[in-house]
Amino acid sequence: DSKKFKFKTMRQKLLESADVLDDQIDSFANIIQQHYQFDSFVFGNPAIASQNEIVAIGRIVPDSPLIPQDAILNSDSLYLETSRLNGIGQRVPLNLKNIENYSFFLGQIVCLKGLNPTGESFVVKEIIQLPLLGAPVTSKKELKEFNKLQQNQSIKIIVCSGPYTSNSNLDFTYLVDLVERINNEIKPHLVIMLGPFIDITHPKIADGSIEIPNLSKQPDTLQDIMKTTVSPILKTINNKIQVLIIPSLKDVNSNHCAYPQDSLDKKLLALPKNFKCFPNPCSFQINEILIGISNNDIFKDLKDVTRGDSDKQNRFDRIANHIIEQRRYYPLFPGSMKTKKVNSIQNNINKNEYSTKEEELIEHISGADLDIPYLGLSEFSDVIPDILIIPSELRFFARVVKNVVVINPSNFMRQNSPGTYVVLSISPPDLGENGLTKIDENKTTNEDDQLYIHDVWKRARVDIFKT
Amino acid sequence: TASNELQPLESMISDAERFKNSEYLTLQCSCGSSFKFGGIQASKDYMITHHGVQCNRCSTNFSNLRVTSQLEKIIRANISLYYSGWLYCDDVTCGIVTRQISVYGRRCIGHSGKAHGCKGIMRYRYSDKQLYNQLLFFDSIFDVDKAKKRSLKPLYEEQGEEDKENVKPITQGALDALCEQNRDFFDICRGVINRYLNNSGRRYVDMGSIFEFMVPEQKA
Ligand SMILES: [Zn+2]
Ligand SMILES: [Zn+2]
């Protein structure tokens, strides 16, 4: 529900943040209890000594409140945080020496079997898998209708993610070229464009040396650049093609500078009818296909502690797995933060001091900007999307994880060079013998009510193009 | 409680007092000079001409976009810093500064990281009130009516004699003229700031408080 994203920002209350963090643990406790049908007495408080094995549910946290953002964690630096209900919020060191295979990260909700023999640490014996949400399903009748609508043709979608200029200028020539290809070569049904369109951290903006080429009058504000420069390019996309705009936390044109993030204002951007502005994150359907999109770089930010098979697994697969298991698009907590060390002389101007002492000060640049009381809006609804699109500044990829197609189109423009974008084609659902997977439990006399899993991963083709 | 935050006299106190802890807007010129910008008032680093800000070092006029883009960048960095969610413990013997939040919120997790032992109370280091005030400060330096009345937060402390000696004060006539000549552009700058102020939950809280204050007290 996109209206829920219209909340006012810059007003986080610590107690409301804590409520959400507490609830994340307890709601997984309920999910686990229902799924495994454990007797309630097997659950216990891992922070107190006990001679019997218990099941503990909590959040992975660091062993020190002073841990630096970029610290490399290891198996000796993890604690488990309990909920108010499970362990009066205490945090206990984890002993992982008996576990051969794991991947843990800060903020992860986990379910562990083990015991705390001395009261000093919780010795983990077994990791209990978090139950997964189901895949979306659709009835035969609806699938037939969708097939008719798309005349048995594949659905073609372009996905691209900002920035749309290099770091050295604000020249949108490559975007002009893309629109040309959209209209004349690729001719997709849908274009998904993710911000930033105008990146507030662009070096030319930071030092004010910004200039927009080919304009008789320079715009007065950054917001004007979208209207005078970017929107006119976007408007030339064939109006029969639907375009979806999703903001980034770095977008100048967003004044909702927090994640979850409200959609951009289509009227202010002066965009035509075939454009839709969606919040970040969002999920929507194209015919039966459920697409989930989040524009907050979890693939870069999430650094896990691994051992065994997990260690050998592809890192992107591991993180995608975590997102699916945790049921939210940005499960890392605290979120990432980007800072810069600056020479004190410049900074002293701000601090109203005139010392010439050389000391390094930290300037805050950007971050995951989580509005914790509203993190519920970044959770999956009741199913796992068929396709997950989560742009990252890391190298592009498309992978199938737990039968979900996971796509990172990477940046449309890299710092000093062109980047990449994705063309996604999905063939129509095949209802024949070797087609979509039938849901067996759904015993029905009416053939049209038969439910199918979408099997998008078997039908999708992802092509990655150089910008 | 909300009533503790009530500051009915907020509009009566001077900008110097109200924005005591706010950070100046730093502007960078193409010549490399970088200085604190305090609106239309006398400065040793910049001059206000009939079309905007001029650098004293190289005499170049700032383009509108040069000013608004640096202003907007600083606003966004402040909002992002707010959202980085740094907390501090108010017990001086502990005093940890961390981004970890206990499931009780105000409880300190202590140097041990075990969330027991320290009785201190955790608070956001960059509070929403501070952020709101910071945005109001940026708004104030582009307020030409305040500039006319010479009620802007001064660029130099009274004690900073050294600075004062080098700065020629602006006559009232010149000040009035400059304010009118720059009003349109300064309103554009205020527009930038107000886009963010309008999305601040704090703004609506403040309105609420003012309203409460205006309701006459019930006599017992
Ligand atoms: Zn200069
Ligand atoms: Zn403390």
Side-chain angles (χ1 to χ4, degrees):
Chain A
D1 185 1
S2 61
K3 276 196 191 121
K4 290 184 180 157
F5 287 79
K6 305 240 170 275
F7 63 88
K8 295 288 175 204
T9 54
M10 304 178 232
R11 181 75 175 153
Q12 273 191 119
K13 300 223 177 75
L14 189 50
L15 293 183
E16 286 175 13
S17 299
D19 283 347
V20 166
L21 294 170
D22 191 50
D23 192 55
Q24 284 176 350
I25 302 174
D26 284 344
S27 51
F28 264 107
N30 285 334
I31 289 165
I32 284 157
Q33 164 68 31
Q34 272 177 24
H35 181 85
Y36 291 105
Q37 297 287 315
F38 287 136
D39 285 324
S40 55
F41 62 81
V42 304
F43 291 102
N45 177 359
I48 55 172
S50 77
Q51 300 318 307
N52 303 319
E53 264 188 17
I54 59 155
V55 171
I57 297 165
R59 174 181 294 104
I60 298 290
V61 292
D63 60 351
S64 162
L66 306 177
I67 186 166
Q69 150 102 357
D70 51 1
I72 295 170
L73 300 167
N74 61 50
S75 59
D76 294 325
S77 51
L78 301 180
Y79 280 14
L80 186 73
E81 177 181 46
T82 60
S83 72
R84 300 172 199 167
L85 196 68
N86 280 329
I88 52 167
Q90 289 192 9
R91 297 172 171 212
V92 61
L94 285 179
N95 179 332
L96 296 167
K97 65 176 194 300
N98 299 319
I99 306 295
E100 295 297 330
N101 179 27
Y102 55 76
S103 159
F104 290 124
F105 64 92
L106 302 184
Q108 181 183 11
I109 307 296
V110 293
C111 181
L112 306 169
K113 196 185 266 182
L115 77 167
N116 185 345
T118 62
E120 284 304 304
S121 68
F122 187 66
V123 182
V124 182
K125 295 280 172 65
E126 185 191 336
I127 299 171
I128 294 168
Q129 292 302 310
L130 300 184
L132 299 183
L133 286 168
V137 295
T138 303
S139 71
K140 185 166 198 167
K141 185 172 172 230
E142 282 176 284
L143 289 169
K144 279 202 253 173
E145 279 165 19
F146 291 142
N147 263 354
K148 212 193 251 170
L149 274 175
Q150 62 190 86
Q151 296 162 322
N152 273 313
Q153 300 290 307
S154 290
I155 290 179
K156 219 185 223 187
I157 304 168
I158 293 186
V159 188
C160 53
S161 173
Y164 294 94
T165 71
S166 76
N167 257 354
S168 52
N169 56 43
L170 273 189
D171 177 354
F172 289 90
T173 309
Y174 283 93
L175 185 60
V176 175
D177 290 348
L178 175 71
V179 172
E180 169 81 21
R181 261 171 287 160
I182 288 173
N183 289 339
N184 301 319
E185 281 171 49
I186 310 170
K187 298 177 183 164
H189 299 89
L190 174 69
V191 179
I192 299 173
M193 300 188 103
L194 297 115
F197 294 90
I198 318 281
D199 182 344
I200 192 69
T201 65
H202 192 288
K204 294 279 173 189
I205 288 176
D207 68 7
S209 64
I210 184 173
E211 255 172 55
I212 313 300
N214 314 319
L215 277 187
S216 51
K217 185 193 178 292
Q218 289 293 303
D220 285 326
T221 66
L222 294 174
Q223 217 192 359
D224 293 343
I225 300 172
M226 190 75 182
K227 262 188 284 185
T228 57
T229 308
V230 183
S231 292
I233 299 170
L234 298 181
K235 270 184 208 164
T236 60
I237 294 177
N238 184 328
N239 63 15
K240 293 196 177 70
I241 299 171
Q242 291 286 319
V243 187
L244 205 60
I245 301 278
I246 292 158
S248 146
L249 293 160
K250 292 179 183 166
D251 259 306
V252 162
N253 289 78
S254 174
N255 48 12
H256 186 115
C257 314
Y259 182 89
Q261 186 181 20
D262 194 10
S263 53
L264 296 175
D265 188 331
K266 191 173 122 178
K267 273 191 200 137
L268 282 180
L269 305 186
L271 291 170
K273 263 190 182 156
N274 55 319
F275 281 72
K276 282 200 173 70
C277 291
F278 276 14
N280 170 27
C282 63
S283 65
F284 57 92
Q285 267 173 286
I286 299 172
N287 291 351
E288 77 283 6
I289 303 157
L290 181 64
I291 302 181
I293 302 185
S294 168
N295 202 2
N296 209 351
D297 198 346
I298 190 68
F299 286 109
K300 180 170 174 246
D301 296 346
L302 191 154
K303 307 223 163 60
D304 55 348
V305 179
T306 58
R307 185 176 173 194
D309 293 343
S310 294
D311 198 32
K312 294 176 201 94
Q313 201 186 3
N314 176 294
R315 180 170 169 267
F316 296 133
D317 287 357
R318 268 189 345 248
I319 296 171
N321 234 315
H322 283 311
I323 294 166
I324 293 166
E325 267 184 22
Q326 300 287 310
R327 308 178 176 199
R328 44 204 166 105
Y329 292 102
Y330 194 93
L332 177 68
F333 181 82
S336 78
M337 205 176 65
K338 193 174 170 192
T339 57
K340 189 172 83 181
K341 283 185 179 140
V342 286
N343 192 309
S344 63
I345 295 172
Q346 197 203 321
N347 210 278
N348 278 338
I349 295 169
N350 285 333
K351 297 283 178 251
N352 205 6
E353 294 162 3
Y354 290 94
S355 117
T356 49
K357 222 173 21 180
E358 288 268 339
E359 41 178 322
E360 277 188 332
L361 291 169
I362 305 295
E363 181 190 331
H364 184 92
I365 297 179
S366 62
D369 298 342
L370 306 180
D371 200 310
I372 304 161
Y374 291 92
L375 276 184
L377 294 172
S378 69
E379 288 170 7
F380 292 171
S381 48
D382 45 357
V383 286
I384 307 173
D386 294 308
I387 299 173
L388 272 178
I389 298 171
I390 305 180
S392 170
E393 64 173 67
L394 303 178
R395 202 180 138 84
F396 60 81
F397 62 83
R399 309 189 64 88
V400 176
V401 178
K402 297 251 160 53
N403 294 352
V404 179
V405 181
V406 184
I407 301 171
N408 162 30
S410 194
N411 297 349
F412 185 76
M413 291 293 284
R414 308 202 61 83
Q415 282 194 1
N416 306 305
S417 61
T420 48
Y421 63 95
V422 154
V423 178
L424 176 64
S425 324
I426 305 151
S427 60
D430 174 3
L431 298 169
E433 269 311 294
N434 301 314
L436 302 193
T437 311
K438 278 188 196 177
I439 298 282
D440 284 337
E441 308 95 271
N442 172 237
K443 293 226 167 61
T444 165
T445 45
N446 189 346
E447 171 75 4
D448 269 356
D449 292 338
Q450 172 65 50
L451 295 177
Y452 289 86
I453 295 177
H454 304 151
D455 289 341
V456 170
W457 59 284
K458 292 180 188 165
R459 300 152 52 197
R461 180 196 154 105
V462 180
D463 290 301
I464 293 172
F465 288 89
K466 283 232 160 85
T467 301
Chain B
T1 67
S3 62
N4 287 339
E5 291 177 6
L6 254 184
Q7 291 186 325
L9 299 177
E10 193 117 306
S11 57
M12 312 288 280
I13 60 175
S14 72
D15 278 12
E17 182 57 27
R18 183 175 194 185
F19 302 129
K20 198 173 52 194
N21 295 318
S22 299
E23 235 181 65
Y24 278 98
L25 169 62
T26 305
L27 289 183
Q28 244 179 294
C29 178
S30 52
C31 72
S33 172
S34 144
F35 51 82
K36 50 183 191 175
F37 176 74
I40 306 181
Q41 58 174 303
S43 158
K44 65 181 169 64
D45 299 303
Y46 69 89
M47 225 170 77
I48 301 287
T49 72
H50 60 280
H51 41 241
V53 185
Q54 190 182 79
C55 170
N56 277 356
R57 199 213 273 185
C58 70
S59 298
T60 304
N61 260 320
F62 277 58
S63 71
N64 289 358
L65 196 50
R66 180 177 273 277
V67 176
T68 56
S69 68
Q70 295 190 60
L71 168 65
E72 192 151 5
K73 180 238 162 189
I74 292 177
I75 293 172
R76 293 290 289 260
N78 270 278
I79 296 173
S80 185
L81 175 63
Y82 167 78
Y83 273 114
S84 64
W86 285 99
L87 305 175
Y88 71 96
C89 172
D90 73 351
D91 181 330
V92 285
T93 61
C94 167
I96 59 164
V97 174
T98 181
R99 297 175 69 218
Q100 288 291 310
I101 300 179
S102 143
V103 290
Y104 288 101
R106 290 187 181 149
R107 181 189 289 181
C108 178
I109 63 170
H111 285 272
S112 73
K114 292 181 178 173
H116 58 88
C118 179
K119 294 270 187 286
I121 303 286
M122 301 302 287
R123 292 201 173 83
Y124 279 118
R125 193 169 62 163
Y126 194 8
S127 70
D128 52 34
K129 183 173 183 178
Q130 255 174 296
L131 174 60
Y132 183 65
N133 226 23
Q134 180 68 52
L135 297 183
L136 287 181
F137 172 58
F138 288 147
D139 183 58
S140 76
I141 59 182
F142 291 102
D143 185 334
V144 292
D145 296 318
K146 276 190 176 171
K148 272 187 186 175
K149 285 186 256 166
R150 298 180 192 271
S151 62
L152 299 176
K153 177 179 171 181
L155 275 168
Y156 308 105
E157 304 280 330
E158 288 313 320
Q159 305 94 313
E161 301 298 339
E162 202 183 79
D163 290 318
K164 271 204 149 176
E165 278 170 29
N166 296 324
V167 179
K168 240 196 281 161
I170 309 173
T171 65
Q172 192 61 41
L175 184 63
D176 289 346
L178 288 175
C179 285
E180 287 316 318
Q181 286 153 355
N182 285 285
R183 187 184 283 273
D184 286 350
F185 172 57
F186 274 36
D187 278 348
I188 289 172
C189 297
R190 295 185 77 180
V192 169
I193 303 153
N194 274 281
R195 274 179 54 217
Y196 296 100
L197 274 171
N198 286 338
N199 210 295
S200 159
R202 186 85 204 174
R203 161 156 282 186
Y204 300 91
V205 171
D206 263 14
M207 304 254 256
S209 311
I210 291 163
F211 181 69
E212 276 165 47
F213 180 68
M214 289 185 340
V215 175
E217 244 178 84
Q218 297 278 316
K219 294 226 168 82

